[in-house]
Amino acid sequence: MGTINVTKEELIKLVTKIVSDELTQNDELRIPIGVSGRHVHLDRKDMDILFGQGSELTTLKPVKQPGQFAAEQVVTIKGPKGELKKVRVLGPLRSKTQVEISVADGFKLGVKAPIRESGCLEGTPGIELIGPAGSVKKDNGVIVASRHIHMTPDLAEKYGLKDRQIVNVEIGSDNNRGLIFKNVLMRVTDTSALEMHIDQEEANAAGVSNGDFAKIVE
Amino acid sequence: MGTINVTKEELIKLVTKIVSDELTQNDELRIPIGVSGRHVHLDRKDMDILFGQGSELTTLKPVKQPGQFAAEQVVTIKGPKGELKKVRVLGPLRSKTQVEISVADGFKLGVKAPIRESGCLEGTPGIELIGPAGSVKKDNGVIVASRHIHMTPDLAEKYGLKDRQIVNVEIGSDNNRGLIFKNVLMRVTDTSALEMHIDQEEANAAGVSNGDFAKIVE
């Protein structure tokens, strides 16, 4: 084998190109799948009640979307029929507390949560949150998150996609549970990492997990 | 309002036609969805062990497929990581014991069950079954059932479908989780009731439940 002389900058460019080509093979957009488990976003007021006045979330591990993280903090969520313990809080704090569960979780809790985009909480059911320092009964905020794709504006432009566009996405095409999700929402923002968010039931129905890829289809 | 004179036979024909038209609106085949929860089929030998020598399954309620029923009997299934109690037995007895779970159940039990057609148990993992009279450790038999459609030969012929054909099926098209399941197996037999079987996670991913309808698409 011969030796190839490259500068560090050239090497970085080369590796970046290889990784980029791998992600967009033959210029086909391959979207990494991120499977969301049940989780909670807290506002400042509920953080104070559940974990103590002035308490702060601490990072267990970062998630793929820049600036966001799985916190070390967990809470119990309690509905009229049952409760779920050790539900992970996702940071940072938000302007409104929001609880994201699966349809199956809703059965266990006795809460009929609608399929909703994150942040659209009007008319959603409430639930009780229990933390180490106290508990709070929310009037609303429980949703089953609607599946969506995070993408940056440059990539969206390259593939002719727009923020808030509804697309169809093929997923699991190389396994025997392959399917096409309709009604997938595009969310194009500068701070996005390319990722399709689905919940655990959607992932299981499609036979996929974190690290698999999705593809936008007609 | 006037009075219409019809015989009982004419009335039956009329109602049958209305129901049939409703099911196949504009000649479009509407397939009722049947959502399967986790369940167990037992063979004679395991029935004896779990419920006592010569014991028989008793009917809790019939299911849609002719001759089959949810039994009053339940068992515990126990894997290396956890157990699930009160798992319903489906009757009648079969030639081989088979345990049908969801992907999520597999995580709880610590059993990685493959997506399989009912009856295809070679190479599948085993599990422990516990009944009121005894317990048995199976070497195999745990599957996640692959989605499929039951249909009679006359209806299959009318719609140009064949036994064991693989079709695509649109489901939940009138809700915001609508999707197209690929790799759906046709099972055409004389004793079928028209029905598409999916599991609870597939139903939740599609936002549908028992009584909703599926449609075969290109």
Side-chain angles (χ1 to χ4, degrees):
Chain A
M1 277 173 59
T3 307
I4 302 170
N5 285 314
V6 288
T7 65
K8 191 178 161 189
E9 285 68 30
E10 284 170 334
L11 188 62
I12 289 172
K13 268 194 188 167
L14 185 65
V15 171
T16 303
K17 186 176 178 329
I18 291 168
V19 171
S20 165
D21 285 353
E22 173 65 21
L23 283 174
T24 59
Q25 224 173 17
N26 304 321
D27 238 36
E28 180 185 277
L29 180 62
R30 298 174 79 215
I31 304 166
I33 292 166
V35 182
S36 304
R38 68 179 77 104
H39 64 269
V40 171
H41 301 279
L42 295 177
D43 63 18
R44 181 67 258 171
K45 192 178 158 200
D46 290 337
M47 182 76 196
D48 285 343
I49 297 170
L50 297 170
F51 293 97
Q53 193 69 30
S55 59
E56 294 293 345
L57 293 174
T58 48
T59 302
L60 175 69
K61 61 175 179 185
V63 298
K64 198 161 182 181
Q65 296 306 311
Q68 299 184 31
F69 58 92
E72 290 175 312
Q73 287 73 14
V74 293
V75 295
T76 293
I77 58 176
K78 188 175 179 180
K81 269 184 148 180
E83 63 179 30
L84 294 166
K85 294 175 193 287
K86 294 190 181 172
V87 179
R88 186 68 53 193
V89 179
L90 254 68
L93 295 178
R94 291 201 178 177
S95 62
K96 264 187 189 173
T97 291
Q98 174 173 310
V99 178
E100 299 184 34
I101 61 171
S102 70
V103 177
D105 289 343
F107 289 134
K108 280 179 216 150
L109 295 164
V111 171
K112 190 158 173 50
I115 312 290
R116 282 289 177 87
E117 184 184 349
S118 183
C120 298
L121 305 183
E122 200 178 301
T124 57
I127 203 156
E128 186 176 3
L129 302 177
I130 305 165
S135 69
V136 57
K137 282 186 182 169
K138 305 299 294 179
D139 287 335
N140 64 33
V142 185
I143 65 170
V144 177
S146 54
R147 50 200 178 220
H148 56 273
I149 293 172
H150 291 286
M151 193 178 285
T152 50
D154 54 342
L155 208 54
E157 193 184 349
K158 178 177 175 186
Y159 287 94
L161 297 162
K162 286 191 163 51
D163 187 37
R164 311 210 61 73
Q165 186 178 344
I166 302 293
V167 296
N168 297 334
V169 176
E170 184 163 354
I171 177 172
S173 48
D174 53 354
N175 74 46
N176 50 11
R177 277 201 157 182
L179 56 78
I180 295 170
F181 282 128
K182 304 180 87 170
N183 303 330
V184 180
L185 180 69
M186 292 297 310
R187 289 170 59 181
V188 180
T189 63
D190 287 324
T191 57
S192 295
L194 179 63
E195 193 175 29
M196 177 173 184
H197 279 169
I198 57 178
D199 75 13
Q200 190 65 61
E201 293 191 295
E202 292 175 309
N204 291 349
V208 296
S209 52
N210 280 321
D212 286 324
F213 289 92
K215 167 173 87 165
I216 296 174
V217 295
E218 289 293 304
Chain B
M1 278 173 62
T3 307
I4 301 169
N5 284 315
V6 287
T7 63
K8 191 179 162 191
E9 285 68 30
E10 285 170 335
L11 187 63
I12 289 172
K13 269 193 188 167
L14 185 65
V15 170
T16 303
K17 186 177 178 331
I18 291 168
V19 171
S20 166
D21 285 354
E22 174 65 21
L23 284 173
T24 59
Q25 225 172 17
N26 303 321
D27 238 35
E28 181 185 277
L29 180 62
R30 299 174 76 215
I31 305 167
I33 292 167
V35 182
S36 303
R38 69 180 76 104
H39 64 270
V40 171
H41 301 280
L42 296 177
D43 63 18
R44 181 67 257 172
K45 192 179 157 200
D46 290 337
M47 182 75 196
D48 285 343
I49 296 170
L50 298 170
F51 293 96
Q53 193 69 30
S55 59
E56 293 294 345
L57 292 173
T58 48
T59 302
L60 176 69
K61 61 176 178 184
V63 298
K64 199 162 181 181
Q65 295 306 312
Q68 298 184 31
F69 57 92
E72 289 175 314
Q73 286 74 14
V74 293
V75 295
T76 293
I77 58 177
K78 188 175 180 181
K81 268 185 150 178
E83 63 179 28
L84 295 166
K85 294 175 193 286
K86 294 189 182 173
V87 179
R88 186 68 53 193
V89 178
L90 255 67
L93 295 178
R94 290 201 179 177
S95 61
K96 265 188 188 173
T97 291
Q98 174 173 309
V99 178
E100 299 185 35
I101 62 172
S102 71
V103 176
D105 289 343
F107 289 134
K108 281 178 216 152
L109 296 165
V111 172
K112 192 159 172 49
I115 313 291
R116 282 289 177 87
E117 183 184 349
S118 182
C120 299
L121 305 183
E122 200 178 301
T124 58
I127 203 157
E128 185 176 4
L129 302 177
I130 305 164
S135 69
V136 58
K137 282 187 183 170
K138 303 299 294 180
D139 287 335
N140 64 33
V142 185
I143 64 170
V144 177
S146 55
R147 49 201 179 221
H148 56 273
I149 294 171
H150 291 285
M151 193 179 286
T152 50
D154 54 342
L155 208 54
E157 193 183 348
K158 179 177 175 185
Y159 287 94
L161 297 162
K162 285 190 165 49
D163 187 38
R164 309 209 63 74
Q165 186 178 344
I166 302 294
V167 295
N168 297 334
V169 176
E170 185 163 355
I171 177 171
S173 50
D174 53 355
N175 74 46
N176 50 12
R177 279 201 155 183
L179 57 77
I180 296 170
F181 282 129
K182 304 180 87 170
N183 303 331
V184 180
L185 180 69
M186 293 296 310
R187 289 169 60 182
V188 179
T189 63
D190 287 323
T191 56
S192 297
L194 180 63
E195 193 175 29
M196 177 174 185
H197 279 169
I198 57 178
D199 75 14
Q200 189 65 61
E201 294 190 295
E202 292 175 310
N204 292 349
V208 296
S209 52
N210 281 321
D212 286 325
F213 289 91
K215 168 172 86 165
I216 295 174
V217 294
E218 290 294 301

